[in-house]
Amino acid sequence: MKYKFEENTDSEEEKEKVIKTFQNKENKEKNAETRATSAREMLKKNTIPIRDRRASRFNNAMETSIKLTGKENYKIWAPEVINILSMHHLDNYLFEEYLKKIRISEISKEDIGNYTRIPGDKRRIYDISVTEDMIDDDKHAKFIIDRSVSKSVKRKINFGKSTSFELWKILKNSYSESKGERRRKLMGNLATMRYDRNEDFVIFITNLNEIFDELEE
């Protein structure tokens, strides 16, 4: 590339400095364009949208190690679901009713357009306080719960119309043990516990303390 100089720039040394300055600038611009092109090519190959890139780190943290089958494994299953939803900042949807519902008959025809309808529900509608972001978050929470239960459990519950708050309440009421049932089970475990010399003594004491802690609750 040829460079033009002002008339007063007649020193060869000065011309050389100017040429090097321009060359360095051109090289930086080329490198920047190369990096930009490379980034665009990588994005083309990557099927995950940019806005979901951060969330993709948790794709492998969507399922529990076991699926809920009934009362026999609810106590192990429930904390796992809560932990996974917590990683996605969605655990509050289990314990607070964000997606409140009201009867359509309570809303005037003039105002009905300001509310969000519930798919498949002809009698109820979401409260005016419910936003699209809240609905999306609730769908995400339901998706995680759905993937963590067995087919036999799914057949008994309407996942379509229920919110994650409603689902959690149904699952807890259906499969968690009552205090009386839990106490009888713990007392039975305590009565049959025996230390095996081949077992780690620390683990034995830890299990024993867990039973005592639960009995005191």
Side-chain angles (χ1 to χ4, degrees):
M1 178 178 179
K2 294 182 178 180
Y3 299 94
K4 293 183 179 180
F5 301 95
E6 296 179 3
E7 293 181 2
N8 58 354
T9 310
D10 48 14
S11 167
E12 290 299 325
E13 187 176 344
E14 289 181 5
K15 288 181 180 180
E16 189 68 27
K17 287 180 180 180
V18 172
I19 290 172
K20 285 184 178 180
T21 300
F22 275 102
Q23 286 177 337
N24 288 336
K25 185 179 178 181
E26 287 174 354
N27 288 335
K28 286 181 181 179
E29 290 175 350
K30 287 180 180 178
N31 289 336
E33 180 60 30
T34 301
R35 287 195 297 270
T37 302
S38 176
R40 284 193 292 270
E41 290 299 321
M42 288 177 68
L43 287 175
K44 286 180 182 179
K45 294 177 181 179
N46 197 332
T47 57
I48 303 173
I50 295 175
R51 57 187 169 81
D52 293 334
R53 200 66 48 76
R54 186 181 298 173
S56 69
R57 291 179 300 167
F58 300 110
N59 280 349
N60 293 328
M62 284 282 196
E63 295 185 17
T64 51
S65 61
I66 58 170
K67 290 187 181 292
L68 176 66
T69 55
K71 286 189 175 184
E72 67 277 2
N73 68 347
Y74 177 85
K75 192 179 185 319
I76 301 172
W77 169 85
E80 283 198 38
V81 176
I82 294 171
N83 286 338
I84 293 172
L85 288 170
S86 178
M87 289 179 64
H88 294 267
H89 308 291
L90 297 170
D91 52 314
N92 284 345
Y93 281 82
L94 300 181
F95 310 112
E96 294 185 43
E97 193 175 11
Y98 289 109
L99 272 62
K100 295 179 180 178
K101 301 173 181 179
I102 55 177
R103 292 184 178 278
I104 294 177
S105 58
E106 297 175 5
I107 307 167
S108 64
K109 292 181 180 180
E110 294 78 14
D111 295 332
I112 197 73
N114 298 323
Y115 294 78
T116 304
R117 291 188 175 276
I118 303 171
D121 197 330
K122 296 180 180 180
R123 296 181 301 168
R124 296 178 300 172
I125 201 165
Y126 286 127
D127 185 77
I128 195 71
S129 62
V130 177
T131 66
E132 290 297 328
D133 285 341
M134 291 164 66
I135 294 173
D136 286 342
D137 283 345
D138 190 70
K139 287 178 180 177
H140 189 180
K142 281 174 60 177
F143 175 73
I144 292 173
I145 296 172
D146 178 79
R147 293 180 64 170
S148 70
V149 301
S150 64
K151 290 181 179 179
S152 61
V153 171
K154 288 181 186 179
R155 284 194 289 267
K156 299 173 185 177
I157 300 170
N158 189 339
F159 272 75
K161 293 182 182 180
S162 303
T163 64
S164 54
F165 175 82
E166 291 167 340
L167 284 174
W168 191 253
K169 192 174 180 179
I170 293 169
L171 292 170
K172 183 178 180 180
N173 291 340
S174 300
Y175 300 111
S176 65
E177 297 174 324
S178 66
K179 286 186 177 181
E181 288 177 323
R182 186 62 187 163
R183 185 175 181 80
R184 284 193 294 273
K185 187 173 182 179
L186 289 170
M187 291 299 291
N189 291 343
L190 191 61
T192 57
M193 280 188 76
R194 296 287 184 276
Y195 174 62
D196 184 346
R197 291 185 178 181
N198 295 322
E199 181 185 359
D200 190 315
F201 185 70
V202 175
I203 294 176
F204 175 77
I205 293 298
T206 301
N207 291 334
L208 196 62
N209 285 332
E210 284 183 359
I211 292 177
F212 285 128
D213 288 343
E214 283 197 60
L215 287 170
E216 289 177 358
E217 289 180 359

mmCIF file of all heavy atoms in Angstrom, residues 105-148:
data_model
loop_
_atom_site.group_PDB
_atom_site.id
_atom_site.type_symbol
_atom_site.label_atom_id
_atom_site.label_comp_id
_atom_site.label_asym_id
_atom_site.label_seq_id
_atom_site.Cartn_x
_atom_site.Cartn_y
_atom_site.Cartn_z
ATOM 1 N N SER A 105 -65.850 -14.884 35.562
ATOM 2 C CA SER A 105 -67.148 -14.255 35.841
ATOM 3 C C SER A 105 -67.014 -13.009 36.717
ATOM 4 O O SER A 105 -67.921 -12.178 36.768
ATOM 5 C CB SER A 105 -68.078 -15.261 36.518
ATOM 6 O OG SER A 105 -67.503 -15.755 37.717
ATOM 7 N N GLU A 106 -65.873 -12.870 37.393
ATOM 8 C CA GLU A 106 -65.671 -11.718 38.274
ATOM 9 C C GLU A 106 -65.136 -10.502 37.525
ATOM 10 O O GLU A 106 -65.007 -9.423 38.108
ATOM 11 C CB GLU A 106 -64.691 -12.097 39.392
ATOM 12 C CG GLU A 106 -65.202 -13.206 40.310
ATOM 13 C CD GLU A 106 -64.167 -13.627 41.330
ATOM 14 O OE1 GLU A 106 -63.093 -12.988 41.379
ATOM 15 O OE2 GLU A 106 -64.408 -14.595 42.076
ATOM 16 N N ILE A 107 -64.820 -10.669 36.234
ATOM 17 C CA ILE A 107 -64.221 -9.585 35.449
ATOM 18 C C ILE A 107 -65.223 -9.076 34.423
ATOM 19 O O ILE A 107 -65.921 -9.866 33.778
ATOM 20 C CB ILE A 107 -62.948 -10.082 34.727
ATOM 21 C CG1 ILE A 107 -61.993 -10.725 35.737
ATOM 22 C CG2 ILE A 107 -62.256 -8.943 33.996
ATOM 23 C CD1 ILE A 107 -60.897 -11.506 35.096
ATOM 24 N N SER A 108 -65.281 -7.768 34.256
ATOM 25 C CA SER A 108 -66.200 -7.185 33.277
ATOM 26 C C SER A 108 -65.674 -7.426 31.862
ATOM 27 O O SER A 108 -64.466 -7.595 31.650
ATOM 28 C CB SER A 108 -66.339 -5.678 33.505
ATOM 29 O OG SER A 108 -65.099 -5.024 33.279
ATOM 30 N N LYS A 109 -66.569 -7.447 30.886
ATOM 31 C CA LYS A 109 -66.190 -7.688 29.493
ATOM 32 C C LYS A 109 -65.229 -6.615 28.980
ATOM 33 O O LYS A 109 -64.389 -6.884 28.123
ATOM 34 C CB LYS A 109 -67.438 -7.742 28.618
ATOM 35 C CG LYS A 109 -68.313 -8.957 28.880
ATOM 36 C CD LYS A 109 -69.519 -8.967 27.951
ATOM 37 C CE LYS A 109 -70.393 -10.198 28.214
ATOM 38 N NZ LYS A 109 -71.582 -10.222 27.322
ATOM 39 N N GLU A 110 -65.375 -5.400 29.497
ATOM 40 C CA GLU A 110 -64.509 -4.299 29.064
ATOM 41 C C GLU A 110 -63.059 -4.497 29.519
ATOM 42 O O GLU A 110 -62.125 -4.070 28.830
ATOM 43 C CB GLU A 110 -65.025 -2.958 29.621
ATOM 44 C CG GLU A 110 -66.363 -2.505 29.074
ATOM 45 C CD GLU A 110 -67.535 -3.243 29.702
ATOM 46 O OE1 GLU A 110 -67.321 -3.912 30.749
ATOM 47 O OE2 GLU A 110 -68.649 -3.188 29.149
ATOM 48 N N ASP A 111 -62.880 -5.170 30.655
ATOM 49 C CA ASP A 111 -61.531 -5.332 31.224
ATOM 50 C C ASP A 111 -60.877 -6.662 30.890
ATOM 51 O O ASP A 111 -59.698 -6.860 31.172
ATOM 52 C CB ASP A 111 -61.595 -5.192 32.752
ATOM 53 C CG ASP A 111 -62.003 -3.788 33.176
ATOM 54 O OD1 ASP A 111 -61.725 -2.846 32.426
ATOM 55 O OD2 ASP A 111 -62.596 -3.659 34.267
ATOM 56 N N ILE A 112 -61.615 -7.593 30.323
ATOM 57 C CA ILE A 112 -61.102 -8.945 30.098
ATOM 58 C C ILE A 112 -59.834 -8.970 29.249
ATOM 59 O O ILE A 112 -58.971 -9.840 29.412
ATOM 60 C CB ILE A 112 -62.194 -9.838 29.439
ATOM 61 C CG1 ILE A 112 -61.825 -11.327 29.581
ATOM 62 C CG2 ILE A 112 -62.405 -9.469 27.981
ATOM 63 C CD1 ILE A 112 -61.975 -11.869 30.953
ATOM 64 N N GLY A 113 -59.709 -7.987 28.357
ATOM 65 C CA GLY A 113 -58.533 -7.948 27.479
ATOM 66 C C GLY A 113 -57.241 -7.614 28.202
ATOM 67 O O GLY A 113 -56.148 -7.813 27.656
ATOM 68 N N ASN A 114 -57.329 -7.114 29.420
ATOM 69 C CA ASN A 114 -56.135 -6.754 30.194
ATOM 70 C C ASN A 114 -55.567 -7.939 30.970
ATOM 71 O O ASN A 114 -54.527 -7.818 31.618
ATOM 72 C CB ASN A 114 -56.473 -5.629 31.184
ATOM 73 C CG ASN A 114 -56.917 -4.363 30.483
ATOM 74 O OD1 ASN A 114 -56.398 -4.021 29.428
ATOM 75 N ND2 ASN A 114 -57.886 -3.668 31.071
ATOM 76 N N TYR A 115 -56.240 -9.073 30.915
ATOM 77 C CA TYR A 115 -55.826 -10.254 31.667
ATOM 78 C C TYR A 115 -55.263 -11.330 30.734
ATOM 79 O O TYR A 115 -55.585 -11.355 29.543
ATOM 80 C CB TYR A 115 -57.004 -10.834 32.456
ATOM 81 C CG TYR A 115 -57.502 -9.931 33.564
ATOM 82 C CD1 TYR A 115 -58.309 -8.836 33.282
ATOM 83 C CD2 TYR A 115 -57.173 -10.186 34.886
ATOM 84 C CE1 TYR A 115 -58.769 -7.998 34.302
ATOM 85 C CE2 TYR A 115 -57.636 -9.369 35.917
ATOM 86 C CZ TYR A 115 -58.434 -8.284 35.610
ATOM 87 O OH TYR A 115 -58.883 -7.463 36.615
ATOM 88 N N THR A 116 -54.432 -12.208 31.294
ATOM 89 C CA THR A 116 -53.848 -13.308 30.530
ATOM 90 C C THR A 116 -54.649 -14.578 30.788
ATOM 91 O O THR A 116 -54.853 -14.972 31.936
ATOM 92 C CB THR A 116 -52.377 -13.552 30.936
ATOM 93 O OG1 THR A 116 -51.638 -12.335 30.768
ATOM 94 C CG2 THR A 116 -51.756 -14.646 30.075
ATOM 95 N N ARG A 117 -55.095 -15.195 29.718
ATOM 96 C CA ARG A 117 -55.902 -16.418 29.842
ATOM 97 C C ARG A 117 -55.022 -17.618 30.201
ATOM 98 O O ARG A 117 -53.837 -17.664 29.872
ATOM 99 C CB ARG A 117 -56.662 -16.694 28.546
ATOM 100 C CG ARG A 117 -57.769 -15.685 28.275
ATOM 101 C CD ARG A 117 -58.630 -16.104 27.084
ATOM 102 N NE ARG A 117 -59.763 -15.216 26.892
ATOM 103 C CZ ARG A 117 -60.920 -15.327 27.539
ATOM 104 N NH1 ARG A 117 -61.091 -16.294 28.417
ATOM 105 N NH2 ARG A 117 -61.909 -14.472 27.318
ATOM 106 N N ILE A 118 -55.648 -18.586 30.846
ATOM 107 C CA ILE A 118 -54.968 -19.829 31.218
ATOM 108 C C ILE A 118 -55.319 -20.884 30.173
ATOM 109 O O ILE A 118 -56.499 -21.208 30.000
ATOM 110 C CB ILE A 118 -55.419 -20.311 32.610
ATOM 111 C CG1 ILE A 118 -55.150 -19.224 33.646
ATOM 112 C CG2 ILE A 118 -54.714 -21.612 32.981
ATOM 113 C CD1 ILE A 118 -55.763 -19.518 35.004
ATOM 114 N N PRO A 119 -54.337 -21.423 29.447
ATOM 115 C CA PRO A 119 -54.619 -22.424 28.412
ATOM 116 C C PRO A 119 -55.408 -23.614 28.970
ATOM 117 O O PRO A 119 -55.034 -24.198 29.988
ATOM 118 C CB PRO A 119 -53.222 -22.855 27.948
ATOM 119 C CG PRO A 119 -52.340 -21.704 28.274
ATOM 120 C CD PRO A 119 -52.898 -21.115 29.539
ATOM 121 N N GLY A 120 -56.516 -23.942 28.317
ATOM 122 C CA GLY A 120 -57.315 -25.092 28.719
ATOM 123 C C GLY A 120 -58.269 -24.847 29.862
ATOM 124 O O GLY A 120 -59.021 -25.743 30.246
ATOM 125 N N ASP A 121 -58.260 -23.640 30.433
ATOM 126 C CA ASP A 121 -59.152 -23.327 31.548
ATOM 127 C C ASP A 121 -60.177 -22.287 31.100
ATOM 128 O O ASP A 121 -59.840 -21.137 30.831
ATOM 129 C CB ASP A 121 -58.343 -22.777 32.740
ATOM 130 C CG ASP A 121 -59.130 -22.819 34.046
ATOM 131 O OD1 ASP A 121 -60.373 -22.708 33.990
ATOM 132 O OD2 ASP A 121 -58.499 -22.965 35.104
ATOM 133 N N LYS A 122 -61.428 -22.690 31.021
ATOM 134 C CA LYS A 122 -62.485 -21.802 30.526
ATOM 135 C C LYS A 122 -63.150 -20.998 31.648
ATOM 136 O O LYS A 122 -63.889 -20.055 31.372
ATOM 137 C CB LYS A 122 -63.555 -22.619 29.800
ATOM 138 C CG LYS A 122 -63.042 -23.306 28.545
ATOM 139 C CD LYS A 122 -64.147 -24.100 27.872
ATOM 140 C CE LYS A 122 -63.635 -24.785 26.607
ATOM 141 N NZ LYS A 122 -64.707 -25.572 25.935
ATOM 142 N N ARG A 123 -62.887 -21.358 32.881
ATOM 143 C CA ARG A 123 -63.550 -20.688 34.006
ATOM 144 C C ARG A 123 -62.668 -19.675 34.724
ATOM 145 O O ARG A 123 -63.158 -18.721 35.301
ATOM 146 C CB ARG A 123 -64.048 -21.721 35.014
ATOM 147 C CG ARG A 123 -65.125 -22.652 34.476
ATOM 148 C CD ARG A 123 -65.566 -23.623 35.542
ATOM 149 N NE ARG A 123 -64.430 -24.423 36.023
ATOM 150 C CZ ARG A 123 -64.464 -25.184 37.114
ATOM 151 N NH1 ARG A 123 -65.556 -25.225 37.851
ATOM 152 N NH2 ARG A 123 -63.417 -25.895 37.474
ATOM 153 N N ARG A 124 -61.348 -19.898 34.684
ATOM 154 C CA ARG A 124 -60.459 -19.010 35.430
ATOM 155 C C ARG A 124 -59.466 -18.308 34.514
ATOM 156 O O ARG A 124 -59.242 -18.707 33.375
ATOM 157 C CB ARG A 124 -59.717 -19.807 36.500
ATOM 158 C CG ARG A 124 -60.626 -20.387 37.570
ATOM 159 C CD ARG A 124 -59.836 -21.193 38.572
ATOM 160 N NE ARG A 124 -59.130 -22.313 37.947
ATOM 161 C CZ ARG A 124 -58.247 -23.082 38.569
ATOM 162 N NH1 ARG A 124 -57.953 -22.836 39.838
ATOM 163 N NH2 ARG A 124 -57.658 -24.079 37.946
ATOM 164 N N ILE A 125 -58.854 -17.248 35.073
ATOM 165 C CA ILE A 125 -57.913 -16.429 34.332
ATOM 166 C C ILE A 125 -56.844 -15.949 35.318
ATOM 167 O O ILE A 125 -57.075 -15.917 36.528
ATOM 168 C CB ILE A 125 -58.661 -15.235 33.683
ATOM 169 C CG1 ILE A 125 -57.879 -14.660 32.504
ATOM 170 C CG2 ILE A 125 -58.978 -14.137 34.704
ATOM 171 C CD1 ILE A 125 -58.709 -13.746 31.638
ATOM 172 N N TYR A 126 -55.652 -15.622 34.816
ATOM 173 C CA TYR A 126 -54.613 -15.143 35.714
ATOM 174 C C TYR A 126 -54.950 -13.753 36.241
ATOM 175 O O TYR A 126 -55.492 -12.917 35.531
ATOM 176 C CB TYR A 126 -53.259 -15.076 34.999
ATOM 177 C CG TYR A 126 -52.626 -16.431 34.760
ATOM 178 C CD1 TYR A 126 -52.210 -16.809 33.483
ATOM 179 C CD2 TYR A 126 -52.427 -17.317 35.808
ATOM 180 C CE1 TYR A 126 -51.636 -18.043 33.258
ATOM 181 C CE2 TYR A 126 -51.849 -18.564 35.592
ATOM 182 C CZ TYR A 126 -51.455 -18.913 34.315
ATOM 183 O OH TYR A 126 -50.888 -20.136 34.100
ATOM 184 N N ASP A 127 -54.575 -13.520 37.491
ATOM 185 C CA ASP A 127 -54.781 -12.213 38.105
ATOM 186 C C ASP A 127 -54.008 -11.144 37.332
ATOM 187 O O ASP A 127 -53.014 -11.444 36.663
ATOM 188 C CB ASP A 127 -54.314 -12.267 39.563
ATOM 189 C CG ASP A 127 -54.596 -10.979 40.304
ATOM 190 O OD1 ASP A 127 -55.760 -10.762 40.682
ATOM 191 O OD2 ASP A 127 -53.652 -10.200 40.493
ATOM 192 N N ILE A 128 -54.443 -9.900 37.434
ATOM 193 C CA ILE A 128 -53.820 -8.800 36.700
ATOM 194 C C ILE A 128 -52.348 -8.608 37.079
ATOM 195 O O ILE A 128 -51.552 -8.061 36.319
ATOM 196 C CB ILE A 128 -54.609 -7.481 36.944
ATOM 197 C CG1 ILE A 128 -54.223 -6.403 35.924
ATOM 198 C CG2 ILE A 128 -54.404 -6.989 38.376
ATOM 199 C CD1 ILE A 128 -54.707 -6.675 34.540
ATOM 200 N N SER A 129 -51.957 -9.086 38.278
ATOM 201 C CA SER A 129 -50.571 -8.935 38.753
ATOM 202 C C SER A 129 -49.608 -9.911 38.097
ATOM 203 O O SER A 129 -48.382 -9.746 38.189
ATOM 204 C CB SER A 129 -50.519 -9.124 40.274
ATOM 205 O OG SER A 129 -50.944 -10.438 40.620
ATOM 206 N N VAL A 130 -50.136 -10.929 37.422
ATOM 207 C CA VAL A 130 -49.291 -11.964 36.797
ATOM 208 C C VAL A 130 -48.703 -11.445 35.491
ATOM 209 O O VAL A 130 -49.425 -10.972 34.614
ATOM 210 C CB VAL A 130 -50.098 -13.249 36.542
ATOM 211 C CG1 VAL A 130 -49.234 -14.287 35.818
ATOM 212 C CG2 VAL A 130 -50.622 -13.823 37.851
ATOM 213 N N THR A 131 -47.367 -11.525 35.352
ATOM 214 C CA THR A 131 -46.675 -11.050 34.155
ATOM 215 C C THR A 131 -46.257 -12.221 33.266
ATOM 216 O O THR A 131 -46.258 -13.372 33.701
ATOM 217 C CB THR A 131 -45.421 -10.241 34.530
ATOM 218 O OG1 THR A 131 -44.476 -11.131 35.171
ATOM 219 C CG2 THR A 131 -45.776 -9.105 35.492
ATOM 220 N N GLU A 132 -45.858 -11.907 32.032
ATOM 221 C CA GLU A 132 -45.385 -12.939 31.102
ATOM 222 C C GLU A 132 -44.116 -13.606 31.622
ATOM 223 O O GLU A 132 -43.925 -14.812 31.454
ATOM 224 C CB GLU A 132 -45.137 -12.332 29.716
ATOM 225 C CG GLU A 132 -46.393 -11.916 28.970
ATOM 226 C CD GLU A 132 -47.295 -13.099 28.657
ATOM 227 O OE1 GLU A 132 -46.762 -14.208 28.442
ATOM 228 O OE2 GLU A 132 -48.521 -12.917 28.626
ATOM 229 N N ASP A 133 -43.247 -12.829 32.255
ATOM 230 C CA ASP A 133 -42.013 -13.398 32.811
ATOM 231 C C ASP A 133 -42.323 -14.408 33.911
ATOM 232 O O ASP A 133 -41.667 -15.455 34.014
ATOM 233 C CB ASP A 133 -41.129 -12.284 33.384
ATOM 234 C CG ASP A 133 -40.437 -11.476 32.303
ATOM 235 O OD1 ASP A 133 -40.346 -11.973 31.165
ATOM 236 O OD2 ASP A 133 -40.002 -10.353 32.598
ATOM 237 N N MET A 134 -43.309 -14.108 34.724
ATOM 238 C CA MET A 134 -43.707 -15.035 35.795
ATOM 239 C C MET A 134 -44.261 -16.328 35.205
ATOM 240 O O MET A 134 -43.990 -17.418 35.709
ATOM 241 C CB MET A 134 -44.735 -14.360 36.703
ATOM 242 C CG MET A 134 -44.161 -13.220 37.529
ATOM 243 S SD MET A 134 -45.424 -12.124 38.239
ATOM 244 C CE MET A 134 -46.225 -13.224 39.391
ATOM 245 N N ILE A 135 -45.042 -16.190 34.132
ATOM 246 C CA ILE A 135 -45.602 -17.375 33.469
ATOM 247 C C ILE A 135 -44.486 -18.229 32.875
ATOM 248 O O ILE A 135 -44.498 -19.459 32.993
ATOM 249 C CB ILE A 135 -46.609 -16.964 32.378
ATOM 250 C CG1 ILE A 135 -47.831 -16.288 33.022
ATOM 251 C CG2 ILE A 135 -47.051 -18.172 31.558
ATOM 252 C CD1 ILE A 135 -48.802 -15.687 32.028
ATOM 253 N N ASP A 136 -43.491 -17.580 32.256
ATOM 254 C CA ASP A 136 -42.357 -18.312 31.678
ATOM 255 C C ASP A 136 -41.546 -19.025 32.763
ATOM 256 O O ASP A 136 -41.134 -20.175 32.586
ATOM 257 C CB ASP A 136 -41.447 -17.347 30.909
ATOM 258 C CG ASP A 136 -42.060 -16.902 29.590
ATOM 259 O OD1 ASP A 136 -42.997 -17.570 29.115
ATOM 260 O OD2 ASP A 136 -41.612 -15.882 29.033
ATOM 261 N N ASP A 137 -41.300 -18.343 33.872
ATOM 262 C CA ASP A 137 -40.554 -18.959 34.977
ATOM 263 C C ASP A 137 -41.310 -20.165 35.534
ATOM 264 O O ASP A 137 -40.710 -21.192 35.858
ATOM 265 C CB ASP A 137 -40.330 -17.936 36.098
ATOM 266 C CG ASP A 137 -39.216 -16.946 35.774
ATOM 267 O OD1 ASP A 137 -38.447 -17.218 34.842
ATOM 268 O OD2 ASP A 137 -39.132 -15.914 36.451
ATOM 269 N N ASP A 138 -42.629 -20.018 35.639
ATOM 270 C CA ASP A 138 -43.440 -21.119 36.170
ATOM 271 C C ASP A 138 -43.405 -22.322 35.224
ATOM 272 O O ASP A 138 -43.350 -23.467 35.674
ATOM 273 C CB ASP A 138 -44.876 -20.645 36.364
ATOM 274 C CG ASP A 138 -45.713 -21.655 37.125
ATOM 275 O OD1 ASP A 138 -45.478 -21.820 38.340
ATOM 276 O OD2 ASP A 138 -46.594 -22.295 36.515
ATOM 277 N N LYS A 139 -43.422 -22.063 33.925
ATOM 278 C CA LYS A 139 -43.327 -23.149 32.940
ATOM 279 C C LYS A 139 -41.999 -23.878 33.086
ATOM 280 O O LYS A 139 -41.931 -25.109 32.983
ATOM 281 C CB LYS A 139 -43.466 -22.600 31.524
ATOM 282 C CG LYS A 139 -44.871 -22.176 31.147
ATOM 283 C CD LYS A 139 -44.887 -21.610 29.740
ATOM 284 C CE LYS A 139 -46.285 -21.165 29.333
ATOM 285 N NZ LYS A 139 -46.293 -20.538 27.983
ATOM 286 N N HIS A 140 -40.944 -23.125 33.322
ATOM 287 C CA HIS A 140 -39.608 -23.707 33.500
ATOM 288 C C HIS A 140 -39.586 -24.601 34.738
ATOM 289 O O HIS A 140 -39.062 -25.722 34.718
ATOM 290 C CB HIS A 140 -38.585 -22.568 33.637
ATOM 291 C CG HIS A 140 -37.169 -23.023 33.603
ATOM 292 N ND1 HIS A 140 -36.101 -22.168 33.713
ATOM 293 C CD2 HIS A 140 -36.626 -24.261 33.494
ATOM 294 C CE1 HIS A 140 -34.982 -22.849 33.674
ATOM 295 N NE2 HIS A 140 -35.265 -24.127 33.540
ATOM 296 N N ALA A 141 -40.179 -24.100 35.839
ATOM 297 C CA ALA A 141 -40.238 -24.891 37.077
ATOM 298 C C ALA A 141 -41.059 -26.164 36.871
ATOM 299 O O ALA A 141 -40.665 -27.252 37.321
ATOM 300 C CB ALA A 141 -40.842 -24.044 38.201
ATOM 301 N N LYS A 142 -42.180 -26.046 36.177
ATOM 302 C CA LYS A 142 -43.028 -27.221 35.902
ATOM 303 C C LYS A 142 -42.293 -28.241 35.047
ATOM 304 O O LYS A 142 -42.429 -29.445 35.238
ATOM 305 C CB LYS A 142 -44.309 -26.777 35.188
ATOM 306 C CG LYS A 142 -45.360 -26.179 36.094
ATOM 307 C CD LYS A 142 -46.541 -25.642 35.301
ATOM 308 C CE LYS A 142 -47.226 -26.716 34.491
ATOM 309 N NZ LYS A 142 -48.421 -26.186 33.780
ATOM 310 N N PHE A 143 -41.498 -27.754 34.101
ATOM 311 C CA PHE A 143 -40.738 -28.636 33.224
ATOM 312 C C PHE A 143 -39.767 -29.492 34.033
ATOM 313 O O PHE A 143 -39.636 -30.701 33.811
ATOM 314 C CB PHE A 143 -39.967 -27.800 32.195
ATOM 315 C CG PHE A 143 -39.051 -28.584 31.311
ATOM 316 C CD1 PHE A 143 -39.564 -29.394 30.311
ATOM 317 C CD2 PHE A 143 -37.680 -28.515 31.469
ATOM 318 C CE1 PHE A 143 -38.719 -30.129 29.480
ATOM 319 C CE2 PHE A 143 -36.832 -29.245 30.657
ATOM 320 C CZ PHE A 143 -37.350 -30.048 29.657
ATOM 321 N N ILE A 144 -39.101 -28.868 35.011
ATOM 322 C CA ILE A 144 -38.151 -29.593 35.855
ATOM 323 C C ILE A 144 -38.878 -30.621 36.716
ATOM 324 O O ILE A 144 -38.422 -31.762 36.868
ATOM 325 C CB ILE A 144 -37.356 -28.599 36.726
ATOM 326 C CG1 ILE A 144 -36.432 -27.762 35.835
ATOM 327 C CG2 ILE A 144 -36.538 -29.336 37.792
ATOM 328 C CD1 ILE A 144 -35.728 -26.633 36.556
ATOM 329 N N ILE A 145 -40.028 -30.230 37.274
ATOM 330 C CA ILE A 145 -40.809 -31.162 38.085
ATOM 331 C C ILE A 145 -41.304 -32.325 37.228
ATOM 332 O O ILE A 145 -41.235 -33.487 37.637
ATOM 333 C CB ILE A 145 -42.009 -30.445 38.751
ATOM 334 C CG1 ILE A 145 -41.513 -29.371 39.730
ATOM 335 C CG2 ILE A 145 -42.904 -31.447 39.474
ATOM 336 C CD1 ILE A 145 -42.613 -28.494 40.273
ATOM 337 N N ASP A 146 -41.783 -32.004 36.038
ATOM 338 C CA ASP A 146 -42.320 -33.021 35.124
ATOM 339 C C ASP A 146 -41.273 -34.092 34.804
ATOM 340 O O ASP A 146 -41.582 -35.279 34.740
ATOM 341 C CB ASP A 146 -42.802 -32.349 33.841
ATOM 342 C CG ASP A 146 -43.317 -33.349 32.828
ATOM 343 O OD1 ASP A 146 -44.454 -33.809 32.984
ATOM 344 O OD2 ASP A 146 -42.571 -33.688 31.874
ATOM 345 N N ARG A 147 -40.023 -33.661 34.616
ATOM 346 C CA ARG A 147 -38.960 -34.604 34.263
ATOM 347 C C ARG A 147 -38.485 -35.429 35.457
ATOM 348 O O ARG A 147 -37.704 -36.367 35.290
ATOM 349 C CB ARG A 147 -37.776 -33.842 33.669
ATOM 350 C CG ARG A 147 -38.080 -33.211 32.327
ATOM 351 C CD ARG A 147 -36.896 -32.470 31.758
ATOM 352 N NE ARG A 147 -35.773 -33.344 31.455
ATOM 353 C CZ ARG A 147 -34.699 -32.953 30.764
ATOM 354 N NH1 ARG A 147 -34.625 -31.727 30.297
ATOM 355 N NH2 ARG A 147 -33.717 -33.794 30.537
ATOM 356 N N SER A 148 -38.947 -35.061 36.667
ATOM 357 C CA SER A 148 -38.436 -35.743 37.853
ATOM 358 C C SER A 148 -39.434 -36.724 38.464
ATOM 359 O O SER A 148 -39.148 -37.310 39.511
ATOM 360 C CB SER A 148 -38.039 -34.705 38.917
ATOM 361 O OG SER A 148 -39.180 -34.076 39.445
#
